[in-house]
Amino acid sequence: MSGAIKQRRAPAAPLEYLRHWPIRTWLVLVTVYLYAPLVTLVAFSFNNSKHNVVWRGFTLHYYALALQDSDLITAFGNSLTIAAISTLVSLVLGAMTALLLWRFRFPAKTAFEGALALPIVVPEICMGVAMLVFFTQVMPWPTSLPWPLNLGAIIISHISFSFSFVAIVIRARLASFNRELEEAAKDLGAGEWRIFRDIIAPHMTPGLVAGGLLAFTLSLDDFVITFFTSGPETTTFPIKVYSMVRFSVTPEVNAASTILIAITVLLTFIALRLQGTDVARNAAGGA
């Protein structure tokens, strides 16, 4: 009887496929719209031509030029230094802020949460102008401190908007925490520090990985805020690429951008693998 029912329902499969074709078509169009520019950029980075208008053949010459450009390498090193320092500081501040908002109740908590989201919703151009005025008129001292490569103002600017993203990601992760685990640990005599180290911190790890990756990528490719807070001796990778694009979009620019895309994709892959490993370990521990 069941076989007969299955045979009668089998012809409905093509109808189901045809019924959902608008959604499938829209999904394909959105995917092409999002990724076609990136694919084009990567493809023309191998173009054996000084211009990107006509395909002249395959070459790695412009990758060699990009890797031999000392100014471009210096700018990329500056961006990596800024991203690394701002990510570490943002992780600490973001984790502390997320724990504060998740664990405690205090006056003006709602106002504090709104202020935390302010760097995210404020347009970057406004944030950049505000940072410029702050460092030139109010507190010019960060630029005179012995920061790595004289990047103090940029690092502080990146921390000011990165830690908000980190705090929101970790706060969302903590929302799924089972407080019964904490109560059971207290019943067994565990102190606050041990509860945080053995229970809360492992639960936060996927959020820390995701927040750190988000902070790193936001800092690495930020242009607007960095443009307003950088000096003549503190060129970063996005600003250097912008200065190259002002003259013409050459395969060398495409090659440099492709290298940055490859590094970002690699970091994303590593972070997702680490996050998946942590989730699987926590699930195995809970079982």
Side-chain angles (χ1 to χ4, degrees):
M1 184 67 179
S2 60
I5 295 176
K6 290 182 179 178
Q7 290 179 357
R8 292 176 182 176
R9 292 180 178 177
L15 296 178
E16 289 291 332
Y17 182 83
L18 293 175
R19 187 176 301 148
H20 296 291
W21 73 265
I23 299 178
R24 299 175 188 273
T25 304
W26 179 253
L27 179 62
V28 171
L29 292 176
V30 170
T31 303
V32 172
Y33 176 78
L34 291 176
Y35 293 103
L38 295 179
V39 173
T40 303
L41 182 145
V42 174
F44 276 93
S45 67
F46 301 101
N47 186 19
N48 189 14
S49 173
K50 294 183 179 180
H51 305 285
N52 287 320
V53 180
V54 182
W55 178 263
R56 298 293 185 183
F58 181 87
T59 183
L60 296 175
H61 174 67
Y62 292 99
Y63 281 90
L65 289 179
L67 295 176
Q68 293 173 2
D69 191 335
S70 59
D71 294 336
L72 190 63
I73 297 299
T74 301
F76 189 67
N78 291 344
S79 294
L80 289 179
T81 302
I82 295 169
I85 297 177
S86 64
T87 298
L88 291 176
V89 178
S90 297
L91 277 175
V92 175
L93 294 178
M96 294 173 62
T97 304
L99 283 171
L100 174 67
L101 295 174
W102 170 72
R103 194 177 184 87
F104 300 103
R105 296 180 180 178
F106 52 89
K109 181 179 179 179
T110 304
F112 183 78
E113 290 179 341
L116 180 65
L118 197 60
I120 300 176
V121 299
V122 170
E124 281 194 340
I125 185 68
C126 299
M127 192 78 172
V129 173
M131 288 295 177
L132 174 64
V133 174
F134 180 77
F135 288 125
T136 57
Q137 304 296 331
V138 182
M139 289 188 177
W141 54 265
T143 57
S144 60
L145 291 179
W147 293 85
L149 304 178
N150 193 23
L151 302 173
I154 305 177
I155 292 174
I156 294 176
S157 301
H158 286 202
I159 294 172
S160 65
F161 68 82
S162 295
F163 95 95
S164 297
F165 289 92
V166 176
I168 290 176
V169 171
I170 298 177
R171 172 77 182 280
R173 176 63 182 173
L174 288 173
S176 63
F177 180 74
N178 187 1
R179 292 183 179 268
E180 294 180 356
L181 297 175
E182 182 180 2
E183 295 175 359
K186 290 181 179 179
D187 293 338
L188 295 174
E192 292 292 337
W193 168 246
R194 188 166 186 181
I195 292 174
F196 175 79
R197 185 190 64 185
D198 297 338
I199 300 178
I200 299 179
H203 184 80
M204 291 172 55
T205 301
L208 290 171
V209 174
L213 176 64
L214 182 60
F216 188 86
T217 53
L218 287 173
S219 176
L220 189 63
D221 65 0
D222 180 78
F223 173 79
V224 177
I225 296 176
T226 306
F227 180 80
F228 282 96
T229 55
S230 62
E233 299 179 357
T234 55
T235 303
T236 61
F237 188 80
I239 294 178
K240 178 61 179 177
V241 171
Y242 172 74
S243 65
M244 297 169 65
V245 172
R246 290 177 60 187
F247 298 98
S248 64
V249 181
T250 63
E252 184 180 355
V253 176
N254 293 341
S257 302
T258 302
I259 293 173
L260 181 60
I261 293 174
I263 293 175
T264 304
V265 171
L266 178 62
L267 291 175
T268 304
F269 175 77
I270 294 174
L272 291 176
R273 287 294 300 270
L274 293 175
Q275 190 175 9
T277 302
D278 292 331
V279 172
R281 188 183 296 113
N282 293 337

